[in-house]
Amino acid sequence: MAKTLLQGGIVLTMDEKIGDFKKADVLIEGDKILDVKPNIEADGAEVVDATDMIVLPGFVDSHRHAWESVIRNVGADWSLQKYLGSIYYGNIGSRRRPEDDYIGNLLGALEAMESGVTTMLDWSMIISRDHTEQMIKGLQDSGMRAVFAHGCPGDGDYWNGESVVENEADVRATAEKHFSSKDQLLTMGLAIRGPEFSSWETSEAEIRLARDLDAVCSMHLGFGTWGGAARSIEKLNKAGLLGPDLNFAHANAVSAEEMRMLAEKGGSISVTPEIEMMMGHGYPATGLAMENGVKPALGVDVVTSTGGDMFAQMKFTLQAERSRVNEKQLAQGEMPGPPLHISARQILEMATIEGAKALRLDHKTGSLTPGKQADIQMIRTTDFNMFPVNDPIGAVVQCAHTGNVDTVYVAGKAVKQGGELINVDRTRIRRLADEARNSIFEQYGNPDELWLL
Ligand SMILES: [Zn+2]
């Protein structure tokens, strides 16, 4: 099997047992990481010079609605309520043709990979079986590792607190057709409405369906004005349903007791700090989670309103959490720190290994561990915003951006090299994305006198 040696880089493995290296090599064989240490001898391996690179795991985005890439930045000034009202309930989201979902997901995945994301959970909004097929094809054609979280239509019938409408037949058919094997880049999840956007019986049935399919089960939960009073995690716990396969996006307003239930029974939190702060979900739950024994994962969520890279999410997460604690100290007449609350390393863990755990893929990805899949990114240190490197963790979390991501491997295959995505026809993708955007807004109308360029 072909071997590739990434030679002489600063290596951040994000594996506690292996640690970090000022200078080391990473040996890839086929789709796997074979070894990580200084001075690896590998006769016959293709050698990639990593001397001016920080080598680390690809990011894991645990929560994104990928199709929305074709309507990106329509909602820079949208609140959550405006977003939900504009996208769901028969509005923009329901005007998609199947081919729009193909390019939406392909573009969303390419955007993510360009910025160093190698694994993403696509929280989908399904209109029909044809749409499902095209969404899956878009992810497949991108070459990314992804959890396709099968959702339901955005219609009002589906999205109200009493909804009992189910789509079990579609879910099972999709599982059978595409996900009979776990030994592939694309694995299956369920994107369910959960107890705050459907009836309790529906939630319970959908959680059981996900378990029957051995699929990670993700839901939006515990935010907004209703998220605190709902006490959904407590209800799930009482019903014996909490478990490590449940993933909760946002969870801004859940109680400390509920976080401790998660710590005890399992279940992950996906913090999407940028859109939570801008759209009104609530303050990011990072500190609440960590103080009660839960390490969150991170996500971009919606590129209708923000950019699509994890660098921004890491910075927002760190700054929001520091600011929360600093403000408390300042209010008591004390200067914050030292040391400052929460570390850049913890944030990088959230963007890598904690994301992999949340998606139940940590046996495959999230750290540079021999035996795991070779999902790797290399960040250039020759760029003006990166050198001299004095603290590589700080450099990645606080300084780097998508333009510094030189090389990305997914399962040992290079998808970005020399700062450019490989084998991507940019002209074709742009044309298809424009056509999708035009088709959607020709049907829906122009919501806010957008320029639609
Ligand atoms: Zn979401």
Side-chain angles (χ1 to χ4, degrees):
M1 229 184 291
K3 289 184 183 175
T4 306
L5 186 67
L6 313 179
Q7 194 170 54
I10 300 166
V11 179
L12 310 175
T13 68
M14 306 315 290
D15 181 320
E16 279 176 17
K17 289 186 189 130
I18 301 173
D20 302 332
F21 300 92
K22 287 180 182 169
K23 188 173 184 179
D25 307 336
V26 178
L27 182 60
I28 302 167
E29 184 180 49
D31 59 359
K32 288 195 170 70
I33 297 169
L34 200 61
D35 206 357
V36 183
K37 65 182 180 188
N39 303 314
I40 296 175
E41 301 277 345
D43 288 344
E46 179 203 353
V47 175
V48 174
D49 182 8
T51 42
D52 288 318
M53 305 280 178
I54 301 172
V55 183
L56 70 157
F59 294 129
V60 179
D61 179 346
S62 66
H63 187 86
R64 187 183 307 214
H65 305 265
W67 74 266
E68 293 179 0
S69 63
V70 292
I71 55 161
R72 69 171 78 257
N73 61 56
V74 296
D77 297 320
W78 284 5
S79 65
L80 175 61
Q81 293 309 85
K82 164 85 174 163
Y83 167 86
L84 293 173
S86 301
I87 302 290
Y88 288 88
Y89 308 106
N91 288 305
I92 293 173
S94 64
R95 309 304 161 109
R96 297 170 291 146
R97 305 166 301 177
E99 60 262 46
D100 302 334
D101 278 352
Y102 170 75
I103 191 63
N105 268 21
L106 176 58
L107 176 59
L110 292 174
E111 167 186 30
M113 288 198 298
E114 186 171 43
S115 65
V117 177
T118 51
T119 301
M120 173 173 82
L121 180 138
D122 174 28
W123 213 103
S124 73
M125 177 179 171
I126 303 286
I127 294 176
S128 72
R129 289 289 305 282
D130 287 343
H131 288 77
T132 305
E133 291 298 312
Q134 293 301 314
M135 283 186 155
I136 289 172
K137 189 169 188 311
L139 294 173
Q140 281 170 337
D141 284 2
S142 76
M144 181 182 221
R145 188 181 307 284
V147 176
F148 175 70
H150 190 295
C152 68
D155 308 350
D157 291 352
Y158 280 85
W159 286 86
N160 72 67
E162 297 308 315
S163 177
V164 293
V165 187
E166 291 182 27
N167 55 355
E168 181 175 343
D170 286 349
V171 169
R172 288 196 182 277
T174 302
E176 196 173 322
K177 182 168 181 187
H178 293 285
F179 300 100
S180 54
S181 167
K182 290 214 175 234
D183 192 19
Q184 53 187 24
L185 287 177
L186 211 57
T187 48
M188 186 159 180
L190 243 58
I192 73 166
R193 291 154 284 173
E196 292 165 27
F197 294 98
S198 67
S199 76
W200 177 260
E201 292 71 27
T202 303
S203 296
E204 192 169 354
E206 291 186 337
I207 289 169
R208 294 199 193 285
L209 174 60
R211 286 187 175 150
D212 193 36
L213 298 169
D214 193 20
V216 65
C217 184
S218 177
M219 66 200 83
H220 298 96
L221 180 144
F223 54 99
T225 48
W226 61 89
R231 295 192 75 93
S232 301
I233 290 175
E234 187 176 51
K235 287 179 192 157
L236 289 166
N237 190 37
K238 264 196 191 139
L241 289 168
L242 269 193
D245 55 338
L246 301 190
N247 168 255
F248 305 106
H250 311 313
N252 312 78
V254 309
S255 65
E257 298 101 281
E258 288 175 293
M259 281 293 182
R260 287 196 289 275
M261 290 170 197
L262 282 184
E264 187 193 338
K265 302 280 175 59
S268 61
I269 298 285
S270 288
V271 171
T272 69
E274 199 173 356
I275 68 101
E276 289 165 11
M277 288 198 286
M278 74 173 280
M279 289 170 83
H281 297 64
Y283 209 81
T286 317
L288 176 70
M290 293 181 74
E291 285 165 4
N292 292 288
V294 176
K295 289 183 182 171
L298 302 184
V300 162
D301 204 359
V302 295
V303 298
T304 50
S305 308
T306 70
D309 67 276
M310 292 290 279
F311 295 105
Q313 303 317 315
M314 289 195 293
K315 291 182 71 158
F316 270 88
T317 306
L318 181 54
Q319 271 60 281
E321 181 54 17
R322 289 238 176 107
S323 178
R324 182 182 74 89
V325 174
N326 293 348
E327 282 298 309
K328 278 189 197 164
Q329 289 184 262
L330 287 165
Q332 290 168 1
E334 294 168 16
M335 279 302 292
L340 283 170
H341 173 72
I342 196 171
S343 69
R345 179 180 292 276
Q346 286 172 310
I347 297 293
L348 191 54
E349 287 168 357
M350 292 176 202
T352 54
I353 186 66
E354 295 304 330
K357 286 180 190 168
L359 303 188
R360 316 219 1 135
L361 288 172
D362 53 308
H363 59 295
K364 283 190 181 180
T365 193
S367 65
L368 302 185
T369 305
K372 282 196 187 183
Q373 293 277 293
D375 293 352
I376 301 170
Q377 59 174 318
M378 305 207 300
I379 295 177
R380 263 193 319 273
T381 59
T382 49
D383 294 345
F384 288 115
N385 63 317
M386 292 299 288
F387 68 81
V389 175
N390 299 306
D391 169 15
I393 297 270
V396 171
V397 173
Q398 297 283 32
C399 303
H401 55 67
T402 300
N404 306 126
V405 177
D406 185 90
T407 303
V408 178
Y409 293 92
V410 177
K413 191 170 173 221
V415 293
K416 185 180 186 184
Q417 268 177 331
E420 291 289 335
L421 288 173
I422 298 171
N423 296 327
V424 170
D425 183 345
R426 191 180 292 264
T427 308
R428 172 178 166 266
I429 286 164
R430 172 132 194 231
R431 178 175 54 76
L432 294 175
D434 283 349
E435 284 173 12
R437 186 275 312 269
N438 292 343
S439 171
I440 288 168
F441 286 118
E442 272 163 20
Q443 294 174 66
Y444 183 72
N446 185 337
D448 296 315
E449 295 180 30
L450 299 164
W451 287 17
L452 303 179
L453 296 167

